[in-house]
Amino acid sequence: MDRKGYYMSNENFQKMMTEYSQKYSKVCVDNNQIDASLFEEYGVKRGLRDKNGKGVLSGITNISLIKASDTKDGRVIPCDGQLYYRGYNIFDLTKGFRQDNRFGFEETAYLLLFGDLPTKEQLAEFTKILAKNRRLPTNFVRDVIMKAPSKDIMNSLTKGVLTLASYDEKVTDNTLENVLSQSMMLISVFPMLAVYGYHAYNHYECDESFYIHRPDDNLSAAENILRMLRPNKDYTDVEAKVLDLALVLHMEHGGGNNSTFTTRVVTSAGSDTYSVIAAALSSLKGPKHGGANIKVVEMIQDLKKHVSDLKDEDSVREYLRKLVRREAFDKRGLIYGMGHAVYSISDPRAIAFKQFVKLLAEEKHQKQEFELYSMIERIAPEVIGEECAIYKGVSANVDFYSGFVYNMLGIPRELFTPIFAMARIVGWSAHRMEELINVDKIIRPAYQSIMVPKVYESLQDRSTPKLDTHYLKELQLSMKEESC
């Protein structure tokens, strides 16, 4: 017991906090629940999207474009999804470096950051700059990454990014040249922060062997990820090329996705690069955003437990029905990897990815597993259409196959979302710079207040809150005219 008599055992402390939190979480619900009909009454679009899935227009960008529909005779008609980076169709970009048997991450990163495809000389210079930036401060691995390792590598990655700010003498310098320099450094070290963070967790928490492989300046980003991850540093060309394609396809996806919008919002506040990217990471790690591919893998594992014949389409279909009816897996009514906020007929990233997924599955002797995924991709939209009232079509998104690919590559599940981050950091950096160049105004959306005025009472007289009728009408009129 301390001098004030406040000592409490950890067990009793946890019990106290659990009871208090349980009690007051109900109070929070009671005092924060909003009638769902009010969103429609005030014209508020939940999730900043209307009932048809169209997003609220909140900015202008020249970095990427998502196309999912055409307009004909005033009607919006869904079409095959298309994705453009700086004006180039993603199919043309990926086809280009595939035909040349090259890696595409560095070329695509240059395109997104600077707006044009590089010449041979420009690409060589850019690649060299990225390679020379694959360095962490002296003892950073020991003093930061190896201390307090976590199974949540996204948290470790965020911690690493924020700690790097302490080593930067120009951390708050938001001139474009400094932000570009900071961004390229972070693009380069993200794989190191994530992979080393995993190795630290795997050693200290899972009692596995610990090893740190330095990146090779002569290798691509995808090759270095596999080199640093694997004990023997070995990988095949197909493995590296498939991972490279995954990085390219996850690199950017319009300005409206949650983590990119977060990048824009925090940038608009005048914050530094490290804080901006940490905020974007915190957004991406959410299971509704970057963690979706993990849920796909877990869903497939559950399917295998409950379906004895994985080639029997009727049995698989019935399991999918149970998913939608909230009778299987996590009972949330979702078939993970199916559907997208924008795309309806098809996700171009999934289409571009699928042929390489098949190629890797053949190399890894996973043909039957690939056939199962293909079956689910084909029949899931039918099941969803039959079981649910949907306003647009449903198709497989890029997350449907990415988890399967990472499994075949031997990438641990803890690194699935960090792999996404290693790619999307490029798009975040491009959007941060676009925001700095074009918009000198903080992003401040409006919220409609529905509160009512109350009479303040002294502590000894306080009981049930009393409505302040004197100011009620005046305040209600004000709230209709202004939003907060």
Side-chain angles (χ1 to χ4, degrees):
M1 182 178 294
D2 66 19
R3 61 183 180 178
K4 294 183 179 180
Y6 287 161
Y7 176 78
M8 181 181 290
S9 70
N10 185 61
E11 182 180 350
N12 288 336
F13 173 76
Q14 293 299 331
K15 182 175 182 293
M16 177 191 73
M17 289 307 301
T18 298
E19 291 174 350
Y20 188 87
S21 298
Q22 287 176 343
K23 176 182 177 181
Y24 277 90
S25 64
K26 296 175 183 177
V27 175
C28 288
V29 171
D30 292 340
N31 290 327
N32 286 282
Q33 194 80 46
I34 294 175
D35 184 349
S37 66
L38 292 178
F39 287 91
E40 187 170 352
E41 179 181 334
Y42 288 108
V44 176
K45 298 175 176 61
R46 289 206 257 187
L48 298 184
R49 292 196 166 271
D50 63 22
K51 289 183 177 180
N52 296 317
K54 185 176 181 181
V56 173
L57 195 61
S58 58
I60 299 174
T61 184
N62 190 35
I63 296 170
S64 66
L65 178 146
I66 302 170
K67 180 176 173 61
S69 62
D70 290 311
T71 302
K72 186 175 182 180
D73 298 328
R75 293 186 303 117
V76 176
I77 304 171
C79 66
D80 288 321
Q82 298 177 47
L83 175 61
Y84 292 82
Y85 288 175
R86 295 288 192 176
Y88 293 96
N89 192 300
I90 194 68
F91 291 126
D92 295 332
L93 285 172
T94 55
K95 182 181 178 181
F97 58 74
R98 287 202 322 265
Q99 285 182 335
D100 294 342
N101 197 29
R102 293 183 291 105
F103 290 95
F105 176 86
E106 289 74 17
E107 176 180 347
T108 311
Y110 182 100
L111 171 66
L112 288 174
L113 291 175
F114 304 125
D116 293 310
L117 285 172
T119 63
K120 187 175 181 180
E121 292 75 21
Q122 288 171 333
L123 180 58
E125 180 186 31
F126 180 72
T127 301
K128 179 181 178 181
I129 293 292
L130 289 181
K132 295 305 179 185
N133 267 287
R134 293 191 187 112
R135 303 287 185 271
L136 291 171
T138 303
N139 297 329
F140 190 90
V141 175
R142 183 196 69 188
D143 296 340
V144 179
I145 296 177
M146 292 173 63
K147 295 290 178 64
S150 169
K151 180 179 182 179
D152 192 327
I153 309 304
M154 287 295 285
N155 281 351
S156 297
L157 185 52
T158 305
K159 177 184 72 173
V161 169
L162 289 173
T163 307
L164 281 172
S166 302
Y167 294 80
D168 188 345
E169 295 180 356
K170 301 170 69 177
V171 59
T172 59
D173 180 353
N174 279 345
T175 59
L176 192 61
E177 57 268 27
N178 190 57
V179 169
L180 176 59
S181 178
Q182 292 170 332
S183 298
M184 291 185 66
M185 180 274 291
L186 289 174
I187 290 169
S188 299
V189 302
F190 254 44
M192 300 172 71
L193 294 175
V195 175
Y196 292 172
Y198 170 75
H199 286 320
Y201 155 73
N202 199 38
H203 174 65
Y204 290 107
E205 301 296 329
C206 303
D207 293 326
E208 298 292 339
S209 298
F210 185 63
Y211 48 88
I212 295 291
H213 300 320
R214 294 185 181 278
D216 186 329
D217 287 356
N218 298 311
L219 299 179
S220 68
E223 290 173 300
N224 268 312
I225 291 170
L226 294 176
R227 167 191 166 86
M228 291 188 293
L229 180 61
R230 295 179 173 176
N232 59 7
K233 307 180 189 177
D234 287 344
Y235 53 87
T236 68
D237 185 64
V238 170
E239 288 179 320
K241 292 286 172 57
V242 172
L243 180 56
D244 177 74
L245 180 62
L247 294 173
V248 169
L249 295 175
H250 283 90
M251 196 176 285
E252 162 62 5
H253 204 236
N257 67 80
N258 197 283
S259 58
T260 299
F261 186 61
T262 298
T263 299
R264 292 271 195 172
V265 170
V266 184
T267 294
S268 77
S271 197
D272 64 271
T273 300
Y274 301 92
S275 298
V276 168
I277 298 304
L281 283 166
S282 299
S283 165
L284 185 69
K285 70 169 290 189
K288 293 181 181 180
H289 191 3
N293 51 18
I294 298 175
K295 299 295 289 187
V296 175
V297 173
E298 293 173 346
M299 177 186 73
I300 296 295
Q301 288 178 334
D302 188 73
L303 181 151
K304 290 177 179 178
K305 292 178 182 177
H306 295 91
V307 177
S308 56
D309 185 357
L310 298 178
K311 293 184 179 181
D312 182 3
E313 187 169 313
D314 289 337
S315 297
V316 173
R317 186 184 294 270
E318 182 58 29
Y319 175 84
L320 296 180
R321 289 191 191 283
K322 290 180 179 179
L323 282 176
V324 176
R325 293 172 181 171
R326 302 175 185 267
E327 298 172 358
F329 189 38
D330 59 5
K331 296 180 172 59
R332 291 195 60 201
L334 300 173
I335 301 179
Y336 290 98
M338 290 293 140
H340 189 270
V342 180
Y343 300 122
S344 55
I345 293 180
S346 63
D347 181 339
R349 301 168 300 170
I351 293 174
F353 207 20
K354 187 174 180 179
Q355 58 182 306
F356 273 82
V357 177
K358 182 179 181 181
L359 185 65
L360 183 62
E362 290 172 351
E363 181 179 282
K364 297 291 185 180
H365 307 293
Q366 294 281 338
K367 186 177 179 181
Q368 289 187 346
E369 187 83 351
F370 176 75
E371 290 173 351
L372 173 62
Y373 272 80
S374 297
M375 181 199 299
I376 296 171
E377 178 189 11
R378 177 170 51 81
I379 65 178
E382 299 173 5
V383 172
I384 295 172
E386 293 166 0
E387 296 287 330
C388 306
I390 55 176
Y391 61 83
K392 66 184 183 71
V394 176
S395 60
N397 58 51
V398 70
D399 292 316
F400 183 70
Y401 282 108
S402 62
F404 176 40
V405 166
Y406 298 157
N407 266 346
M408 289 192 289
L409 291 174
I411 294 173
R413 203 168 298 178
E414 292 86 354
L415 282 174
F416 280 16
T417 308
I419 292 283
F420 194 160
M422 294 175 205
R424 190 55 65 87
I425 173 74
V426 178
W428 294 336
S429 299
H431 279 276
R432 170 161 167 72
M433 290 192 292
E434 190 177 61
E435 185 76 18
L436 288 171
I437 291 169
N438 294 285
V439 188
D440 186 21
K441 191 175 181 65
I442 190 170
I443 296 174
R444 191 185 187 279
Y447 271 74
Q448 178 65 52
S449 176
I450 58 169
M451 73 170 200
V452 294
K454 298 170 186 173
V455 176
Y456 179 84
E457 296 177 300
S458 62
L459 186 60
Q460 57 267 32
D461 297 330
R462 202 167 294 166
S463 56
T464 303
K466 294 181 175 62
L467 192 66
D468 189 342
T469 56
H470 179 70
Y471 288 104
L472 178 59
K473 187 175 181 180
E474 178 183 330
L475 195 59
Q476 284 179 331
L477 287 171
S478 175
M479 288 188 293
K480 286 185 178 180
E481 295 168 355
E482 298 181 19
S483 53
C484 302

